[in-house]
Amino acid sequence: MKLPTLPALIAPLLLALSLPACASRAAVPVYGYRVVHSYPHDTSAYTEGLFYRDGFLYESTGNVGASTIRKVDLATGQVLQQRELPPPDYGEGIVAWRNQLVELTWQSQKGYTYDLDSFRPTGSFRYPGEGWALTADDRHIYMSDGTPTIRVLDPQTLSQVSAIFVTADGNPVQNLNELEWVKGQLYANVWLTSRIARIDPASGNVVGWIDLTDLGPKPEETADPANDVLNGIAWDAKGQRLFVTGKRWPKIYEIQLTGPKSPR
């Protein structure tokens, strides 16, 4: 996503103001975090998508003319393999499905598929509206578009088959961004906030918040404080490790959740 508009800036502020009240009324748990380890991250990478597979991180970066898909060595941050997405497309979220990598674009209303091993293009697909992020379980692919609705896609056709409407204490959650499937829940960055929503995919209810306040660089340490924000979640199911990062952040963090905090 590009420079936030006024409505985009206001929505997270309203969400942030409402979260404590929501947590209090509905007793939605708010989890903290502990940093287990940090790893180097390319500060030119405007992170849009992130996932972990077979010992490597896969990352997609945005901005027209700077959009890429990458295979990254976690320990060193070295980009082992990369493919550029040429203008006018703006790269967004990615997910692996079997031997394919699937990529969204922001406003082109189309996505691309690649061979996961070689990054060789294998096809394209269309969808209405914007594309923000992707993740998958063993049956479906899930797609965010910045609204409270998470689209559910058929992995074979990449067409929408259903949708999940996400609410917290009955209120729609706007700006759902990067997604990850973690132990039967959908984790979603809420763009321009320090929060990750833990979503029950059956009901769409937010069943927990992860508060990552103070993680990552201070705004004054970033090149573009308005945009270099928390975004990127990856889950190592075998190792039970959770990774998070941000756009152009210098580190990727392995974290463990703490809490939850008691509602007031």
Side-chain angles (χ1 to χ4, degrees):
M1 287 63 65
K2 293 185 179 179
L3 187 68
T5 61
L6 183 58
L9 287 168
I10 291 173
L13 176 60
L14 295 176
L15 173 65
L17 291 172
S18 69
L19 286 178
C22 291
S24 177
R25 291 196 300 271
V28 176
V30 179
Y31 297 84
Y33 67 93
R34 179 176 71 86
V35 175
V36 177
H37 197 81
S38 63
Y39 305 88
H41 181 239
D42 180 4
T43 53
S44 71
Y46 194 73
T47 306
E48 299 291 0
L50 193 71
F51 67 84
Y52 180 93
R53 180 170 169 134
D54 297 334
F56 299 97
L57 284 175
Y58 291 79
E59 182 176 24
S60 59
T61 65
N63 286 321
V64 175
S67 296
T68 64
I69 54 174
R70 305 171 168 199
K71 181 179 181 180
V72 180
D73 181 80
L74 173 63
T76 66
Q78 180 183 359
V79 178
L80 305 175
Q81 189 175 343
Q82 178 172 297
R83 185 177 187 91
E84 297 177 355
L85 181 66
D89 288 328
Y90 183 120
E92 284 283 354
I94 54 172
V95 70
W97 183 261
R98 298 181 180 170
N99 63 341
Q100 296 249 57
L101 186 146
V102 183
E103 178 186 29
L104 297 176
T105 62
W106 181 29
Q107 294 180 320
S108 299
Q109 298 190 345
K110 63 181 176 182
Y112 299 97
T113 59
Y114 307 87
D115 177 80
L116 184 61
D117 291 331
S118 67
F119 287 176
R120 176 181 56 84
T122 57
S124 63
F125 61 102
R126 307 288 305 190
Y127 52 85
E130 296 185 356
W132 283 35
L134 294 169
T135 192
D137 60 9
D138 58 357
R139 296 176 55 215
H140 296 106
I141 290 175
Y142 301 88
M143 170 183 167
S144 67
D145 57 14
T147 73
T149 298
I150 294 177
R151 309 181 199 189
V152 183
L153 309 183
D154 180 326
Q156 306 303 322
T157 64
L158 298 174
S159 59
Q160 183 174 341
V161 294
S162 62
I164 301 166
F165 190 71
V166 179
T167 61
D169 194 37
N171 300 308
V173 181
Q174 299 285 349
N175 287 340
L176 295 174
N177 200 0
E178 224 279 299
L179 300 174
E180 186 64 48
W181 184 266
V182 181
K183 296 183 182 178
Q185 294 180 349
L186 284 163
Y187 282 26
N189 283 120
V190 181
W191 185 45
L192 301 177
T193 79
S194 59
R195 294 258 174 150
I196 292 174
R198 297 176 59 171
I199 302 161
D200 171 21
S203 66
N205 294 333
V206 173
V207 295
W209 296 104
I210 303 171
D211 186 353
L212 298 180
T213 299
D214 296 327
L215 184 69
K218 295 180 173 63
E220 60 269 21
E221 296 172 342
T222 63
D224 185 359
N227 286 291
D228 294 350
V229 295
L230 178 74
N231 197 52
I233 313 167
W235 173 244
D236 170 15
K238 184 176 180 180
Q240 298 288 289
R241 296 185 295 171
L242 182 63
F243 304 100
V244 295
T245 192
K247 299 172 183 286
R248 293 190 283 241
W249 282 16
K251 298 289 184 182
I252 291 173
Y253 298 93
E254 179 188 341
I255 63 169
Q256 288 183 348
L257 303 188
T258 63
K261 304 171 186 176
S262 300
R264 298 176 185 177

